């Protein structure tokens, strides 16, 4: 597996990481605990994946516990990232508030126990509330770095301004935002800011929740706590309206003798050399497919052709926190 560095932090990771949320919730039926653990270890043993991402909010602590069990035998050989949500989760209530020095420390200590580790390689603020002070959080994160409890820190879904404010206090190792052929919002300001400041970028939902794999259509039914029940890009009419994007993917994937999923990941890898996509994968064939994307080469002119074609395609629907919280299984700072 090819390697990439997350900004100036010194953290070296596999070019493609593993998003672990889906092992516990969010995308329909989940594998058994044993199967999930097997797949995470296989990602490392057979494909060289060294970046594993989780969060305290995923299945309300359960995903961290699962990831901790899976990675315990290889803990010192991988980069472990987790995230604290700046709203209270069950059992976290304190007068100072969650977004306080004490609230942050309490959340971190609990994550350390669940993950069975003495330190977190990269600790994210899961969302950055508009009415919060990024500099204050950055200062607290700096204290945790000095104490050795975390090696580096980052923000998830910040604005360019929030990145600059925080980075000036305690340099960010990475930003984790949604980024894919379907969601190109980071291209407006955030990616340029990361490049200027030497900050890495983790792309979550790099395949649009699976849409870019080409494995779903307008007749697909999503049930239970599957977030695609409430994500508007998965409405029947939007699934149909977004077919031109899939057609584009299929065309270029065929030229590269790759799958649409591999082309979608390869596109991200070629956009910037500091981007690391973290797709979810819960089957052996998905591991082979996704990690294989690191070997799909795109020439600069091919990337330019794809981007030009993308500029002519309208994307219907979106993925918003305010929609996802309607499931009642995820708490978040609601961002539009």
């Amino acid at each position: 597996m090819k390697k990439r560095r997350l900004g100036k932090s010194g953290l070296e990771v596999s070019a493609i990481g593993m998003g672990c949320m889906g092992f516990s919730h969010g995308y329909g039926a989940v594998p058994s605990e044993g199967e999930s653990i097997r797949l995470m270890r296989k990602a490392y043993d057979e494909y060289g994946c060294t970046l594993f991402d989780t969060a305290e909010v995923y299945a309300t602590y359960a995903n961290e516990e699962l990831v901790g069990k899976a990675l315990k035998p290889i803990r010192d050989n991988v980069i472990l990232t987790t995230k604290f949500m700046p709203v209270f989760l069950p059992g976290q209530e304190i007068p100072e508030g969650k977004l306080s020095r004490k609230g942050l420390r309490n959340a971190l200590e609990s994550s350390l126990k669940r993950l069975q580790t003495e330190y977190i390689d990269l600790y994210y603020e899961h969302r950055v509330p508009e009415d919060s002070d990024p500099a204050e959080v950055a200062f607290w994160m700096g204290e945790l770095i000095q104490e050795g409890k975390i090696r580096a820190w980052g923000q998830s879904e910040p604005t360019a301004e929030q990145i600059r404010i925080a980075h000036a206090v305690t340099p960010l190792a990475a930003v984790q935002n949604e980024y894919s052929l379907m969601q190109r919002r980071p291209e407006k300001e955030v990616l340029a800011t990361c490049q200027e400041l030497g900050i890495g970028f983790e792309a979550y939902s790099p395949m649009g929740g699976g849409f870019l794999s080409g494995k779903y259509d307008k007749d697909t039914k999503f049930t239970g706590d599957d977030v695609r029940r409430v994500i508007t890009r998965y409405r029947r009419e939007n699934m149909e309206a977004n077919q031109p994007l899939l057609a584009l993917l299929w065309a270029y994937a065929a030229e590269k003798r790759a799958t649409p999923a591999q082309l979608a990941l390869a596109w991200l890898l070629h956009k910037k050399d500091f981007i690391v996509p973290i797709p979810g994968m819960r089957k052996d064939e998905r591991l082979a497919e996704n990690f294989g994307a690191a070997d799909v080469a795109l020439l600069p002119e091919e990337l330019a052709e794809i981007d030009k074609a993308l500029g002519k395609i309208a994307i219907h629907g979106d993925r918003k926190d305010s929609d996802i919280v309607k499931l009642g299984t995820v708490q978040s700072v609601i961002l539009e």
Side-chain angles (χ1 to χ4, degrees):
M1 172 68 72
K2 298 173 183 177
K3 304 290 186 181
R4 293 194 166 190
R5 290 191 179 276
L6 292 177
K8 301 176 181 178
S9 66
L11 295 179
E12 185 179 70
V13 300
S14 52
I16 297 175
M18 174 177 269
C20 298
M21 183 186 80
F23 287 120
S24 299
H25 83 138
Y27 289 102
V30 301
S32 66
E33 178 179 296
E35 177 67 356
S36 296
I37 290 174
R38 182 187 72 81
L39 289 168
M40 280 186 260
R41 291 180 183 170
K42 181 177 181 178
Y44 170 77
D45 291 333
E46 295 191 19
Y47 297 100
C49 176
T50 59
L51 176 62
F52 295 83
D53 180 80
T54 182
E56 62 171 7
V57 76
Y58 295 163
T60 315
Y61 311 138
N63 192 246
E64 283 189 326
E65 293 176 352
L66 175 63
V67 172
K69 290 180 182 179
L71 300 185
K72 188 174 183 180
I74 55 174
R75 173 65 190 96
D76 292 334
N77 300 325
V78 301
I79 299 300
L80 178 58
T81 75
T82 191
K83 303 178 281 292
F84 83 95
M85 182 64 73
V87 294
F88 286 131
L89 300 179
Q92 294 183 335
E93 296 83 357
I94 58 172
E96 292 89 340
K98 179 71 176 286
L99 202 58
S100 64
R101 177 186 274 109
K102 184 175 181 180
L104 173 58
R105 285 179 172 272
N106 288 351
L108 174 60
E109 292 295 343
S110 295
S111 288
L112 290 171
K113 291 178 182 177
R114 288 189 291 269
L115 289 163
Q116 301 184 55
T117 185
E118 296 180 353
Y119 65 96
I120 302 299
D121 295 288
L122 178 49
Y123 196 45
Y124 283 104
E125 181 179 7
H126 207 155
R127 291 293 185 270
V128 186
E130 291 182 2
D131 60 353
S132 68
D133 181 1
E136 194 170 40
V137 176
F139 182 80
W140 298 331
M141 288 290 192
E143 292 179 330
L144 296 174
I145 291 172
Q146 290 178 351
E147 295 169 21
K149 292 183 180 294
I150 64 176
R151 294 177 62 191
W153 85 290
Q155 297 171 318
S156 181
E157 293 293 352
T159 63
E161 181 181 5
Q162 289 170 330
I163 292 172
R164 291 184 182 280
I165 293 171
H167 189 74
V169 178
T170 303
L172 295 161
V175 164
Q176 186 182 118
N177 283 18
E178 182 183 7
Y179 185 35
S180 72
L181 287 158
M182 295 195 80
Q183 176 54 274
R184 301 176 66 186
R185 190 177 297 126
E187 294 178 3
K188 294 180 180 178
E189 289 186 299
V190 169
L191 281 177
T193 302
C194 288
Q195 185 164 18
E196 175 192 340
L197 300 177
I199 299 171
F201 187 97
E202 287 185 25
Y204 76 80
S205 198
M207 288 185 286
F211 178 83
L212 297 174
S213 71
K215 296 178 174 68
Y216 305 98
D217 60 31
K218 58 182 173 50
D219 295 319
T220 303
K221 303 295 183 184
F222 302 105
T223 60
D225 78 339
D226 195 315
V227 296
R228 290 169 292 195
R229 286 177 49 207
V230 292
I231 293 175
T232 57
R233 69 169 61 122
Y234 273 91
R235 288 176 182 167
R236 182 184 178 91
E237 63 273 19
N238 289 337
M239 290 274 279
E240 195 162 12
N242 286 326
Q243 288 305 303
L245 178 58
L246 276 185
L248 174 67
L249 258 182
W250 277 110
Y252 278 94
E255 287 184 13
K256 292 295 178 179
R257 296 184 180 180
T259 67
Q262 288 177 325
L263 198 285
L265 292 172
W267 177 81
L268 283 168
L269 291 171
H270 285 77
K271 291 296 286 186
K272 300 289 183 181
D273 62 7
F274 56 86
I275 293 175
V276 179
I278 50 170
M281 45 197 112
R282 299 179 296 178
K283 295 181 180 179
D284 289 280
E285 53 266 37
R286 295 290 80 75
L287 266 66
E289 181 178 26
N290 291 346
F291 291 130
D295 296 321
V296 177
L298 291 174
L299 297 173
E301 54 267 31
E302 292 174 324
L303 187 66
E305 287 176 5
I306 295 173
D307 285 349
K308 183 177 180 180
L310 284 173
K312 300 176 183 178
I313 297 175
I315 303 300
H316 301 263
D318 204 342
R319 179 193 186 282
K320 296 181 179 180
D321 284 4
S322 53
D323 289 326
I324 293 174
V325 296
K326 294 173 184 177
L327 281 175
T329 58
V330 176
Q331 291 178 269
S332 175
V333 175
I334 298 176
L335 302 174
E336 290 299 317

